[in-house]
Amino acid sequence: ILELFSYNKLEGISYEKICLSIPKSLGSRSSIQNLLNEGLDKKILFKVENKKDKRIKNYFLSDEFYHMVLDWIKLQKKIYNS
């Protein structure tokens, strides 16, 4: 989720970039794909065709979920800076 969050206000992040950024010890390609599909089904994520390469789909957090994650990050920062 944090990987998607960090790219959300940019161009989004492709499945391949996600797979490259997550160590194989934390999740296989099929596990990552299953999580992305579940996020799409639950409307936590959405995907958009890449403007440069129409074969690539970029993933984004939904606005509601993006703000939930942002609030969580702010809370963590507040807790750990106290």
Side-chain angles (χ1 to χ4, degrees):
I1 294 298
L2 292 177
E3 193 69 30
L4 285 150
F5 177 84
S6 64
Y7 283 90
N8 212 63
K9 295 297 180 184
L10 301 172
E11 74 278 356
I13 187 168
S14 70
Y15 169 69
E16 290 301 325
K17 274 189 180 180
I18 295 170
C19 289
L20 289 173
S21 67
I22 297 175
K24 293 189 185 339
S25 61
L26 292 179
S28 66
R29 292 175 64 86
S30 61
S31 295
I32 294 167
Q33 185 66 61
N34 288 336
L35 287 169
L36 290 172
N37 288 337
E38 186 174 341
L40 291 169
D41 290 343
K42 294 185 177 194
K43 308 292 186 219
I44 292 171
L45 306 175
F46 65 95
K47 62 182 175 180
V48 176
E49 195 173 82
N50 185 296
K51 294 175 185 172
K52 296 176 187 170
D53 187 340
K54 300 201 183 297
R55 297 171 295 169
I56 299 171
K57 307 295 184 240
N58 290 336
Y59 289 85
F60 295 85
L61 297 176
S62 69
D63 286 340
E64 182 181 347
F65 197 71
Y66 176 85
H67 290 290
M68 285 175 55
V69 173
L70 185 59
D71 290 343
W72 179 82
I73 290 171
K74 288 177 183 176
L75 178 63
Q76 298 307 307
K77 185 176 178 183
K78 185 177 178 181
I79 290 169
Y80 287 104
N81 285 338
S82 298

